[in-house]
Amino acid sequence: MTWQGRRDGQLTVGGIPVERLAARIGSTPFFAYDRDLVTRRVAALRAALPAGIQLSYAVKANPMPALLQHLSGLVDGFDVASAQEMRHALDTPTHAGRISFAGPGKTVEELSQAIAAGVTVELESETELARARAISAATGVPARIALRVNPDFTVRGSGMRLGGGPRQFGIDAERVPKVLAGLGDDVDFQGFHVFAGSQNLRADDICEAQRRTVDLILELADLSPPVRYVNLGGGFGIPYSRRDSPLDLEPIGDNLARLMRERVVPRLPGARVVIELGRYLVGEAGVYITRVVDRKESRGTTFVVVDGGLHHQLAASGNFGQVIRRNYPMAVANRLGEAPDEPVNVVGCLCTPLDLLGDRVELPRVEIGDLIALFQAGAYGLTASPTGFLSHPAPVEVLV
Ligand SMILES: *Cc1c(COP(=O)(O)O)cnc(C)c1O
């Protein structure tokens, strides 16, 4: 894990020991995101990828406005999936032309706002294209569009597949030629978007997906107006358990450099080529801090009860689409480095057995009042959790 920061036996976030951070915030639980870790992550990625590749941040991974402000100075664009995400992205210095709006079921209201703002609308269906054209006709603003293509291949190794086979995402590749033939100059055609899968830790599989995506887009480019934008998707994963190894960026960078040099640049000179990432940019930069409220024994098992739970960090309970429940990495944040003492079950404060944050975790002896840190909480954390369930107050989020 990237969380190396510690001082006097305490975890630090942005250089601040967690007890001090808890005192400054005035309450637990909270999410803390480390600004410097995000900066370093983007820098490492830039160093590995060829210069011609632009980076777009997928806002749904973590839409905290302060984080978006920070990222706007680091990445080239934002990918949004709702009108609210779009407003937050437009509130940063990032130019509207560098913002793309993907996702099925965009409403007429969302489409109208995106078209008026000059955001690139990534169309998910033929009927959505018809709606965008109607809005252009009514408002006099040509819609800036890209076609999201549902590829005719699937990506191996993805934690979540979003392309290949029947999908609610994108227009099936075999239907795209007909759609292209029907385009007129009432729309400002930019290019293509393919997003085939998420949370992939296997570099080879990502490379293969990128090769096939480039093949597909170049084939379609023969039939389309000039292509100015190519969105190759992303899906770079992060490790969530000791069994996971971090993604090896080097082969991905080499593969993209070759694809750019040999295929994309000669065929589509001047096109903006984008990789869009959410989890990989912010996931490891966030930690969820909870305080131990109770400790009890029940028939041979020790339960450590914390003041947070799955209502804030659903993914750590294994209920966010995971097939197999595995413990997220965690630590007693105010006593780092102490030897493990006993296996305990770390549970949240909700009245459901689903609220299990750590199943037989080896931790130093945990006492009431200790702080438990759950790592890898920077992406798909708070906003991917059922905060209304049991009506506890929302946790604070800080960028430090
Ligand atoms: C969610 C999403 C992403 C980000 O996926 P990560 O796995 O977080 O990198 C990228 N593109 C689109 C279209 C998405 O919907």
Side-chain angles (χ1 to χ4, degrees):
M1 302 301 141
T2 33
W3 284 93
Q4 306 296 332
R6 71 167 67 177
R7 196 191 309 160
D8 304 330
Q10 277 197 49
L11 178 73
T12 62
V13 184
I16 306 170
V18 277
E19 277 291 11
R20 173 142 293 181
L21 195 54
R24 288 187 189 176
I25 291 167
S27 63
T28 53
F30 59 86
F31 283 86
Y33 311 119
D34 191 317
R35 192 187 293 270
D36 188 47
L37 284 183
V38 174
T39 305
R40 276 155 45 192
R41 176 50 69 103
V42 174
L45 196 56
R46 296 263 195 212
L49 300 183
I53 296 282
Q54 299 202 351
L55 279 181
S56 181
Y57 172 62
V59 173
K60 78 172 185 292
N62 188 331
M64 185 205 195
L67 183 64
L68 295 192
Q69 291 293 334
H70 180 58
L71 277 161
S72 74
L74 302 173
V75 299
D76 303 293
F78 289 118
D79 180 68
V80 299
S82 71
Q84 177 76 356
E85 286 188 2
M86 180 174 68
R87 280 191 286 273
H88 285 313
L90 287 168
D91 280 344
T92 70
T94 298
H95 187 264
R98 297 295 181 90
I99 298 172
S100 54
F101 189 164
K106 294 185 226 33
T107 63
V108 167
E109 187 184 337
E110 286 175 318
L111 288 169
S112 303
Q113 291 174 4
I115 291 166
V119 161
T120 303
V121 181
E122 301 192 314
L123 296 166
E124 305 273 351
S125 72
E126 289 146 272
T127 43
E128 193 170 74
L129 170 60
R131 280 192 289 279
R133 292 178 105 160
I135 292 164
S136 292
T139 59
V141 185
R144 190 181 163 99
I145 61 154
L147 300 184
R148 179 164 178 184
V149 182
N150 176 25
D152 44 7
F153 57 85
T154 53
V155 188
R156 286 171 297 151
S158 270
M160 202 183 276
R161 283 182 183 161
L162 292 102
R167 293 287 159 191
Q168 71 264 54
F169 310 109
I171 302 172
D172 292 345
E174 57 277 19
R175 300 174 72 115
V176 172
K178 189 167 148 265
V179 175
L180 289 171
L183 288 180
D185 55 14
D186 55 332
V187 292
D188 176 10
F189 176 82
Q190 296 289 310
F192 299 101
H193 172 212
V194 175
F195 180 64
S198 183
Q199 179 51 21
N200 200 326
L201 286 170
R202 293 176 8 187
D204 287 353
D205 294 341
I206 291 176
C207 290
E208 193 194 328
Q210 289 173 339
R211 273 193 297 274
R212 298 182 74 165
T213 298
V214 165
D215 286 346
L216 176 59
I217 289 177
L218 292 184
E219 230 176 84
L220 296 173
D222 280 340
L223 311 169
S224 80
V227 172
R228 283 167 256 156
Y229 168 73
V230 171
N231 184 334
L232 299 175
F236 298 11
I238 63 171
Y240 282 102
S241 84
R242 242 172 295 166
R243 291 189 219 187
D244 295 336
S245 324
L247 184 62
D248 185 3
L249 285 179
E250 201 182 307
I252 298 174
D254 291 348
N255 183 59
L256 281 173
R258 195 172 328 109
L259 286 171
M260 288 292 282
R261 193 175 59 239
E262 294 174 4
R263 319 255 354 251
V264 181
V265 175
R267 285 282 309 286
L268 307 173
R272 204 158 73 78
V273 183
V274 176
I275 297 280
E276 58 177 10
L277 300 171
R279 189 191 310 269
Y280 191 80
L281 297 186
V282 296
E284 296 188 71
V287 63
Y288 176 50
I289 303 286
T290 61
R291 201 177 286 283
V292 177
V293 176
D294 205 359
R295 178 195 158 95
K296 61 176 267 191
E297 312 289 329
S298 171
R299 301 192 171 130
T301 296
T302 303
F303 288 89
V304 166
V305 187
V306 299
D307 60 2
L310 70 74
H311 54 314
H312 298 160
Q313 180 49 337
L314 181 68
S317 75
N319 292 295
F320 188 57
Q322 293 100 327
V323 181
I324 303 165
R325 190 199 173 285
R326 290 208 197 116
N327 290 332
Y328 271 38
M330 66 171 74
V332 183
N334 53 315
R335 291 197 278 112
L336 288 187
E338 287 185 20
D341 171 65
E342 54 177 352
V344 294
N345 279 6
V346 178
V347 298
C349 57
L350 302 191
C351 296
T352 162
L354 294 179
D355 199 4
L356 176 63
L357 301 174
D359 186 9
R360 284 161 288 154
V361 205
E362 295 282 343
L363 292 176
R365 191 183 156 86
V366 185
E367 302 296 351
I368 293 171
D370 278 338
L371 293 173
I372 301 281
L374 278 153
F375 298 103
Q376 315 300 69
Y380 305 107
L382 182 56
T383 60
S385 301
T387 46
F389 191 35
L390 273 89
S391 307
H392 286 293
V396 171
E397 293 181 283
V398 288
L399 179 68
V400 284

